[in-house]
Amino acid sequence: MKLHRGINTPAGWLLLSLALLQGATPAASAPTAQTEQAIRHLIDHVSGSDMTFIRNGSEYTPLEAAEHMQKKYRHFRDDIDTAEDFIALCASKSLLSGKAYEVLDAQGKLRYTGNWLRAELATYRAHRP
């Protein structure tokens, strides 16, 4: 008695289709430990800074800004493979308005948060073993 009927049956086609779909579906990825460490550094850098953070025209403390970025990171975590992805998705602009985030230093110099964090990321990486 032959149990295997091959692909030319409805059940065979269904199994093949399911196998192909499963293989074609990208698995959710998560940042590597090294990327997680760099992102943690960036969030800590934000919270420990003396900057005023500007989002959609309103001012926020470093702690408020860091908490907001952390919340966005939790939301986008599966879409983030690099620290640069984190900056782009979580720390550069508002999802609602599309308006760029800014930082204001103690001397009154205004910069885009994304640029400020990319510079910090470069410094962080330059000092890593």
Short mmCIF file of all heavy atoms in Angstrom, two decimals, residues 44-53 62 116:
data_model
loop_
_atom_site.label_atom_id
_atom_site.label_comp_id
_atom_site.label_asym_id
_atom_site.label_seq_id
_atom_site.Cartn_x
_atom_site.Cartn_y
_atom_site.Cartn_z
N ASP A 44 21.28 56.61 26.39
CA ASP A 44 21.92 57.13 27.61
C ASP A 44 22.56 58.49 27.36
O ASP A 44 22.54 59.37 28.22
CB ASP A 44 22.97 56.15 28.13
CG ASP A 44 22.37 54.89 28.73
OD1 ASP A 44 21.14 54.86 28.97
OD2 ASP A 44 23.12 53.92 28.92
N HIS A 45 23.14 58.67 26.17
CA HIS A 45 23.75 59.95 25.81
C HIS A 45 22.68 61.05 25.80
O HIS A 45 22.92 62.16 26.28
CB HIS A 45 24.43 59.83 24.45
CG HIS A 45 25.12 61.07 24.00
ND1 HIS A 45 26.26 61.55 24.61
CD2 HIS A 45 24.83 61.94 23.01
CE1 HIS A 45 26.65 62.66 24.01
NE2 HIS A 45 25.80 62.92 23.03
N VAL A 46 21.52 60.73 25.26
CA VAL A 46 20.41 61.69 25.23
C VAL A 46 20.00 62.03 26.66
O VAL A 46 19.93 63.20 27.04
CB VAL A 46 19.22 61.14 24.42
CG1 VAL A 46 17.97 61.98 24.64
CG2 VAL A 46 19.57 61.07 22.94
N SER A 47 19.74 61.02 27.47
CA SER A 47 19.23 61.27 28.82
C SER A 47 20.24 61.98 29.71
O SER A 47 19.86 62.72 30.62
CB SER A 47 18.75 59.98 29.49
OG SER A 47 19.82 59.12 29.74
N GLY A 48 21.53 61.78 29.45
CA GLY A 48 22.56 62.41 30.27
C GLY A 48 23.07 63.74 29.73
O GLY A 48 23.97 64.34 30.32
N SER A 49 22.48 64.21 28.66
CA SER A 49 22.96 65.46 28.06
C SER A 49 22.36 66.67 28.77
O SER A 49 21.47 66.54 29.61
CB SER A 49 22.57 65.50 26.58
OG SER A 49 21.19 65.77 26.44
N ASP A 50 22.87 67.85 28.40
CA ASP A 50 22.31 69.09 28.93
C ASP A 50 21.54 69.83 27.84
O ASP A 50 21.34 71.03 27.92
CB ASP A 50 23.41 69.96 29.52
CG ASP A 50 24.44 70.40 28.48
OD1 ASP A 50 24.40 69.90 27.34
OD2 ASP A 50 25.29 71.25 28.81
N MET A 51 21.09 69.09 26.84
CA MET A 51 20.38 69.67 25.70
C MET A 51 18.90 69.85 26.00
O MET A 51 18.33 69.17 26.85
CB MET A 51 20.51 68.77 24.47
CG MET A 51 21.92 68.52 24.03
SD MET A 51 22.61 70.00 23.30
CE MET A 51 23.84 69.30 22.25
N THR A 52 18.30 70.75 25.25
CA THR A 52 16.85 70.87 25.21
C THR A 52 16.43 70.23 23.90
O THR A 52 16.99 70.53 22.84
CB THR A 52 16.41 72.35 25.24
OG1 THR A 52 16.86 72.93 26.47
CG2 THR A 52 14.90 72.48 25.14
N PHE A 53 15.49 69.32 23.97
CA PHE A 53 15.04 68.60 22.78
C PHE A 53 13.74 69.21 22.28
O PHE A 53 12.83 69.47 23.08
CB PHE A 53 14.88 67.12 23.10
CG PHE A 53 16.19 66.45 23.36
CD1 PHE A 53 16.79 66.53 24.60
CD2 PHE A 53 16.86 65.79 22.35
CE1 PHE A 53 18.03 65.96 24.85
CE2 PHE A 53 18.10 65.21 22.57
CZ PHE A 53 18.68 65.29 23.82
N PRO A 62 16.02 66.16 28.56
CA PRO A 62 16.75 64.99 28.07
C PRO A 62 16.08 63.67 28.46
O PRO A 62 15.99 62.76 27.64
CB PRO A 62 18.13 65.13 28.72
CG PRO A 62 18.29 66.61 28.91
CD PRO A 62 16.91 67.09 29.26
N TRP A 116 23.26 65.17 15.32
CA TRP A 116 23.92 65.17 16.62
C TRP A 116 24.18 63.73 17.07
O TRP A 116 25.28 63.41 17.55
CB TRP A 116 23.05 65.93 17.62
CG TRP A 116 23.55 66.00 19.01
CD1 TRP A 116 24.64 66.70 19.46
CD2 TRP A 116 22.98 65.37 20.16
NE1 TRP A 116 24.77 66.54 20.82
CE2 TRP A 116 23.76 65.73 21.28
CE3 TRP A 116 21.87 64.55 20.36
CZ2 TRP A 116 23.48 65.28 22.56
CZ3 TRP A 116 21.59 64.11 21.63
CH2 TRP A 116 22.39 64.47 22.72
#
